Amino acid sequence: MKTALVTGAARGIGLATTKQFLAKGWSVAMVDWDGDELALSAKSLDNVLPLNYDISQPEQAPKIIAETLAHFGQIDALANNAGIADFGPIEETDFARWKAVMSINLDGTFLMSQAATDALKATKGAIVNIGSISGLRASTLRVAYGTSKAAVIHLTKQQAAELGEFGIRANCVCPGPVRTKLAMAVHTQEIIDAYHDAIPLNRYGSEDEIASVITFLCSPEASYVTGQVIASDGGFESTGVGLPALRGKQY
């Protein structure tokens, strides 16, 4: 049985990705720093291993890999989904906010990938990093978040270039606006309408739609796909810069 390791797996895109892997017959190591939510999400799932760790801590990534290998025996795919979105104007983004975003979004992705490399060499496995539309195009309030995701995009290309000779593929999925509980809680109707107007498909994406791209890139069907950056965004990248509803505001 193939095994995937998914970070940020307690909710949202990570949980949707976990469920899609399970539906395809994979086992899944579910990693999240929210132990209570992780335990709740994993409770009703079979063939999963919940691991309550913080990927931003350098000493924890090797422990995650070791526990996954001890339990499942192999790692065939790593989905680096864990991330935080702390938005704010440039002049209000102090170094503490900057470092907090980078430590999860970029450092955690690097640390997990590096720790998993030997295991992925053994299976000729896949890495899928979760970027963002904010890493592909600049927008308001996203100096730390957008920069971290742009770095993840380049990290993916480095991984593809350096690890390809070992049979490891690395790709990056960049979601656009996704209809998550958090987004719907903080997006006003004005913002929702503005996103709909800016997205050619005229709607938010779903967690399952993003998860389907992630699981595809980990599958044998994507065996010759590496070093790619795929925006799963309803066409949002192709349309203008920023949203008038967000300018001058903080969400």
PDB file of all heavy atoms in Angstrom, residues 86-99:
ATOM      1  N   ASP A  86      -1.054  35.273   7.363  1.00  0.00           N
ATOM      2  CA  ASP A  86      -1.118  36.437   8.241  1.00  0.00           C
ATOM      3  C   ASP A  86      -0.935  37.662   7.370  1.00  0.00           C
ATOM      4  O   ASP A  86       0.175  37.975   6.942  1.00  0.00           O
ATOM      5  CB  ASP A  86      -0.017  36.336   9.315  1.00  0.00           C
ATOM      6  CG  ASP A  86      -0.138  37.427  10.372  1.00  0.00           C
ATOM      7  OD1 ASP A  86      -0.942  38.353  10.174  1.00  0.00           O
ATOM      8  OD2 ASP A  86       0.576  37.347  11.383  1.00  0.00           O
ATOM      9  N   PHE A  87      -2.027  38.346   7.072  1.00  0.00           N
ATOM     10  CA  PHE A  87      -1.993  39.442   6.118  1.00  0.00           C
ATOM     11  C   PHE A  87      -1.875  40.793   6.834  1.00  0.00           C
ATOM     12  O   PHE A  87      -2.391  40.969   7.937  1.00  0.00           O
ATOM     13  CB  PHE A  87      -3.254  39.459   5.251  1.00  0.00           C
ATOM     14  CG  PHE A  87      -3.469  38.202   4.448  1.00  0.00           C
ATOM     15  CD1 PHE A  87      -4.749  37.817   4.081  1.00  0.00           C
ATOM     16  CD2 PHE A  87      -2.402  37.410   4.058  1.00  0.00           C
ATOM     17  CE1 PHE A  87      -4.954  36.658   3.337  1.00  0.00           C
ATOM     18  CE2 PHE A  87      -2.597  36.254   3.322  1.00  0.00           C
ATOM     19  CZ  PHE A  87      -3.875  35.884   2.955  1.00  0.00           C
ATOM     20  N   GLY A  88      -1.240  41.744   6.173  1.00  0.00           N
ATOM     21  CA  GLY A  88      -1.148  43.093   6.718  1.00  0.00           C
ATOM     22  C   GLY A  88      -0.337  43.985   5.801  1.00  0.00           C
ATOM     23  O   GLY A  88       0.463  43.504   4.986  1.00  0.00           O
ATOM     24  N   PRO A  89      -0.516  45.286   5.917  1.00  0.00           N
ATOM     25  CA  PRO A  89       0.246  46.238   5.092  1.00  0.00           C
ATOM     26  C   PRO A  89       1.747  46.117   5.344  1.00  0.00           C
ATOM     27  O   PRO A  89       2.179  45.713   6.435  1.00  0.00           O
ATOM     28  CB  PRO A  89      -0.272  47.604   5.558  1.00  0.00           C
ATOM     29  CG  PRO A  89      -1.582  47.323   6.215  1.00  0.00           C
ATOM     30  CD  PRO A  89      -1.466  45.965   6.817  1.00  0.00           C
ATOM     31  N   ILE A  90       2.545  46.505   4.373  1.00  0.00           N
ATOM     32  CA  ILE A  90       3.998  46.419   4.494  1.00  0.00           C
ATOM     33  C   ILE A  90       4.494  47.156   5.732  1.00  0.00           C
ATOM     34  O   ILE A  90       5.303  46.635   6.504  1.00  0.00           O
ATOM     35  CB  ILE A  90       4.678  46.980   3.229  1.00  0.00           C
ATOM     36  CG1 ILE A  90       4.484  46.016   2.042  1.00  0.00           C
ATOM     37  CG2 ILE A  90       6.167  47.226   3.471  1.00  0.00           C
ATOM     38  CD1 ILE A  90       5.060  46.518   0.740  1.00  0.00           C
ATOM     39  N   GLU A  91       3.995  48.368   5.928  1.00  0.00           N
ATOM     40  CA  GLU A  91       4.515  49.178   7.035  1.00  0.00           C
ATOM     41  C   GLU A  91       4.102  48.644   8.405  1.00  0.00           C
ATOM     42  O   GLU A  91       4.673  49.023   9.422  1.00  0.00           O
ATOM     43  CB  GLU A  91       4.079  50.646   6.900  1.00  0.00           C
ATOM     44  CG  GLU A  91       2.590  50.905   7.002  1.00  0.00           C
ATOM     45  CD  GLU A  91       1.848  50.814   5.690  1.00  0.00           C
ATOM     46  OE1 GLU A  91       2.376  50.174   4.751  1.00  0.00           O
ATOM     47  OE2 GLU A  91       0.746  51.398   5.599  1.00  0.00           O
ATOM     48  N   GLU A  92       3.126  47.758   8.443  1.00  0.00           N
ATOM     49  CA  GLU A  92       2.700  47.168   9.706  1.00  0.00           C
ATOM     50  C   GLU A  92       3.201  45.732   9.892  1.00  0.00           C
ATOM     51  O   GLU A  92       2.884  45.078  10.883  1.00  0.00           O
ATOM     52  CB  GLU A  92       1.171  47.191   9.798  1.00  0.00           C
ATOM     53  CG  GLU A  92       0.592  48.601   9.869  1.00  0.00           C
ATOM     54  CD  GLU A  92      -0.925  48.598   9.912  1.00  0.00           C
ATOM     55  OE1 GLU A  92      -1.513  47.528  10.183  1.00  0.00           O
ATOM     56  OE2 GLU A  92      -1.520  49.662   9.652  1.00  0.00           O
ATOM     57  N   THR A  93       3.974  45.265   8.931  1.00  0.00           N
ATOM     58  CA  THR A  93       4.520  43.905   9.014  1.00  0.00           C
ATOM     59  C   THR A  93       5.875  43.963   9.711  1.00  0.00           C
ATOM     60  O   THR A  93       6.902  44.251   9.082  1.00  0.00           O
ATOM     61  CB  THR A  93       4.654  43.276   7.614  1.00  0.00           C
ATOM     62  OG1 THR A  93       3.357  43.216   7.001  1.00  0.00           O
ATOM     63  CG2 THR A  93       5.233  41.872   7.700  1.00  0.00           C
ATOM     64  N   ASP A  94       5.873  43.711  11.005  1.00  0.00           N
ATOM     65  CA  ASP A  94       7.140  43.723  11.729  1.00  0.00           C
ATOM     66  C   ASP A  94       7.877  42.401  11.499  1.00  0.00           C
ATOM     67  O   ASP A  94       7.357  41.468  10.879  1.00  0.00           O
ATOM     68  CB  ASP A  94       6.928  43.996  13.221  1.00  0.00           C
ATOM     69  CG  ASP A  94       6.051  42.975  13.915  1.00  0.00           C
ATOM     70  OD1 ASP A  94       5.860  41.859  13.371  1.00  0.00           O
ATOM     71  OD2 ASP A  94       5.534  43.276  15.010  1.00  0.00           O
ATOM     72  N   PHE A  95       9.107  42.337  12.010  1.00  0.00           N
ATOM     73  CA  PHE A  95       9.933  41.164  11.737  1.00  0.00           C
ATOM     74  C   PHE A  95       9.348  39.906  12.364  1.00  0.00           C
ATOM     75  O   PHE A  95       9.499  38.804  11.815  1.00  0.00           O
ATOM     76  CB  PHE A  95      11.355  41.398  12.246  1.00  0.00           C
ATOM     77  CG  PHE A  95      12.336  40.373  11.756  1.00  0.00           C
ATOM     78  CD1 PHE A  95      12.542  40.168  10.400  1.00  0.00           C
ATOM     79  CD2 PHE A  95      13.065  39.606  12.651  1.00  0.00           C
ATOM     80  CE1 PHE A  95      13.443  39.216   9.947  1.00  0.00           C
ATOM     81  CE2 PHE A  95      13.970  38.656  12.205  1.00  0.00           C
ATOM     82  CZ  PHE A  95      14.169  38.461  10.847  1.00  0.00           C
ATOM     83  N   ALA A  96       8.669  40.046  13.492  1.00  0.00           N
ATOM     84  CA  ALA A  96       8.067  38.880  14.142  1.00  0.00           C
ATOM     85  C   ALA A  96       6.990  38.267  13.252  1.00  0.00           C
ATOM     86  O   ALA A  96       6.910  37.039  13.106  1.00  0.00           O
ATOM     87  CB  ALA A  96       7.479  39.276  15.496  1.00  0.00           C
ATOM     88  N   ARG A  97       6.148  39.105  12.641  1.00  0.00           N
ATOM     89  CA  ARG A  97       5.112  38.605  11.722  1.00  0.00           C
ATOM     90  C   ARG A  97       5.763  37.954  10.511  1.00  0.00           C
ATOM     91  O   ARG A  97       5.362  36.873  10.074  1.00  0.00           O
ATOM     92  CB  ARG A  97       4.203  39.755  11.299  1.00  0.00           C
ATOM     93  CG  ARG A  97       3.279  39.409  10.141  1.00  0.00           C
ATOM     94  CD  ARG A  97       2.397  40.579   9.746  1.00  0.00           C
ATOM     95  NE  ARG A  97       1.147  40.558  10.498  1.00  0.00           N
ATOM     96  CZ  ARG A  97       0.189  41.492  10.400  1.00  0.00           C
ATOM     97  NH1 ARG A  97       0.362  42.528   9.611  1.00  0.00           N
ATOM     98  NH2 ARG A  97      -0.921  41.383  11.097  1.00  0.00           N
ATOM     99  N   TRP A  98       6.767  38.620   9.953  1.00  0.00           N
ATOM    100  CA  TRP A  98       7.493  38.095   8.794  1.00  0.00           C
ATOM    101  C   TRP A  98       8.066  36.705   9.092  1.00  0.00           C
ATOM    102  O   TRP A  98       7.885  35.761   8.334  1.00  0.00           O
ATOM    103  CB  TRP A  98       8.600  39.070   8.417  1.00  0.00           C
ATOM    104  CG  TRP A  98       9.528  38.619   7.336  1.00  0.00           C
ATOM    105  CD1 TRP A  98      10.654  37.862   7.471  1.00  0.00           C
ATOM    106  CD2 TRP A  98       9.409  38.907   5.933  1.00  0.00           C
ATOM    107  NE1 TRP A  98      11.253  37.656   6.249  1.00  0.00           N
ATOM    108  CE2 TRP A  98      10.520  38.288   5.300  1.00  0.00           C
ATOM    109  CE3 TRP A  98       8.505  39.637   5.159  1.00  0.00           C
ATOM    110  CZ2 TRP A  98      10.722  38.378   3.920  1.00  0.00           C
ATOM    111  CZ3 TRP A  98       8.715  39.729   3.788  1.00  0.00           C
ATOM    112  CH2 TRP A  98       9.807  39.101   3.180  1.00  0.00           C
ATOM    113  N   LYS A  99       8.760  36.574  10.217  1.00  0.00           N
ATOM    114  CA  LYS A  99       9.405  35.310  10.575  1.00  0.00           C
ATOM    115  C   LYS A  99       8.381  34.215  10.864  1.00  0.00           C
ATOM    116  O   LYS A  99       8.619  33.050  10.540  1.00  0.00           O
ATOM    117  CB  LYS A  99      10.316  35.507  11.788  1.00  0.00           C
ATOM    118  CG  LYS A  99      11.605  36.247  11.478  1.00  0.00           C
ATOM    119  CD  LYS A  99      12.496  35.465  10.517  1.00  0.00           C
ATOM    120  CE  LYS A  99      13.033  34.187  11.119  1.00  0.00           C
ATOM    121  NZ  LYS A  99      13.892  33.439  10.174  1.00  0.00           N
TER     122      LYS A  99
END
